[in-house]
Amino acid sequence: MSTRLEGKTALVTGATSNIGRAIAEAFAAEGAHVVVSGRSAERGREVVEGIRARGGRADFVAADLDGSAAASQALAREATAALGGRIDVLVNNAGIYPADVTAATDEKTFDRVYAVNVKAPFFLTAAVAPAMAEAGSGAIVNLGSWIARLGIPVGALYSSTKGAMETLTRAWAAEFGPQGVRVNAISPGVVLAPVPGEEHPAEAMMKGTPAGRMGDPQDIAAAAVYLAGDDARFVHGIVLDVDGGRTTAAVIAG
């Protein structure tokens, strides 16, 4: 077991599946005590039991981050208690992705997506960052998306929320950085857990990229470990593209 996060505590939202789960498992493997947060207690227990079986430390805290300040504040309190009184690392990962086109998006969906994807992490950060600042150290990692900067014809609503999170990353770096709290973001490309023998339709979006394939959740988790740890102590306010070159290199159709 590596120890790049030894002695640190971490809260990962949306940690019961896919990218969030991979980040929680990677943090625990690096020595962190992790709070796995999500809506499903069954899936949360599964993640926690797996981490503990491998010798890591983890607890589950249920949370339905609906965008209300109260829900985010409750999660901050419960996670802080589960982690022994402090949160060293916060990963704002939880989010929802409706893929409708603009004209098919109703107001209720609009409000819900902004509530979950922007308001919830905003108020969770507001609840967690001041204690980090008072302690003089901490790291916040937000999850953006490659489609925040490279337009695709569906999912305009989702991409705008991720653009908001990338903007908040820079603003929070300026706000909290002088008090010892580093705030950065990861912009994943097309990332799905691999299924042996199956080709997912989303793979077409990665053809012709430098990587030539979809990403794996562990690819994002490795970046999160870096940004959360002391190796990134001089890194503030960046959006780290972990997208196989999707947004930085010309895509050559093959």
Side-chain angles (χ1 to χ4, degrees):
M1 182 181 290
S2 182
T3 58
R4 283 183 290 174
L5 300 179
E6 185 69 36
K8 295 186 183 295
T9 61
L11 166 59
V12 183
T13 68
T16 60
S17 64
N18 204 28
I19 289 174
R21 176 173 183 163
I23 291 173
E25 291 173 342
F27 278 13
E30 292 288 346
H33 181 186
V34 182
V35 159
V36 172
S37 179
R39 288 176 293 178
S40 171
E42 180 180 356
R43 291 192 302 178
R45 283 193 298 269
E46 179 187 346
V47 177
V48 167
E49 288 171 2
I51 289 172
R52 290 176 177 174
R54 293 186 291 273
R57 298 180 65 197
D59 293 282
F60 174 71
V61 174
D64 184 3
L65 295 175
D66 59 5
S68 67
S72 291
Q73 290 163 359
L75 174 58
R77 287 194 304 270
E78 293 176 32
T80 299
L83 294 170
R86 76 178 198 279
I87 298 172
D88 297 318
V89 181
L90 168 63
V91 179
N92 285 312
N93 168 73
I96 54 176
Y97 176 56
D100 284 338
V101 295
T102 299
T105 301
D106 58 33
E107 186 176 6
K108 182 178 179 181
T109 299
F110 184 100
D111 289 343
R112 180 167 180 260
V113 174
Y114 261 84
V116 175
N117 291 9
V118 182
K119 283 185 68 180
F122 182 94
F123 286 112
L124 184 56
T125 299
V128 170
M132 290 180 173
E134 185 176 351
S137 66
I140 297 172
V141 181
N142 298 319
L143 270 292
S145 173
W146 67 280
I147 62 172
R149 278 166 291 121
L150 185 64
I152 62 173
V154 294
L157 175 59
Y158 173 82
S159 66
S160 71
T161 67
K162 290 305 180 179
M165 287 308 299
E166 294 186 4
T167 297
L168 284 170
T169 296
R170 292 183 284 271
W172 285 336
E175 181 176 355
F176 298 116
Q179 301 167 78
V181 182
R182 295 183 301 101
V183 186
N184 294 289
I186 299 169
S187 177
V190 181
V191 175
L192 290 169
V195 179
E198 292 187 16
E199 181 171 332
H200 194 279
E203 289 188 50
M205 291 189 287
M206 292 302 292
K207 290 182 178 178
T209 63
R213 63 169 179 85
M214 293 194 304
D216 185 276
Q218 280 70 33
D219 297 324
I220 311 306
V225 168
Y226 165 68
L227 290 176
D230 293 339
D231 287 344
R233 61 187 175 275
F234 199 53
V235 180
H236 291 260
I238 71 159
V239 178
L240 179 60
D241 294 313
V242 187
D243 64 2
R246 188 65 181 78
T247 59
T248 55
V251 175
I252 308 301

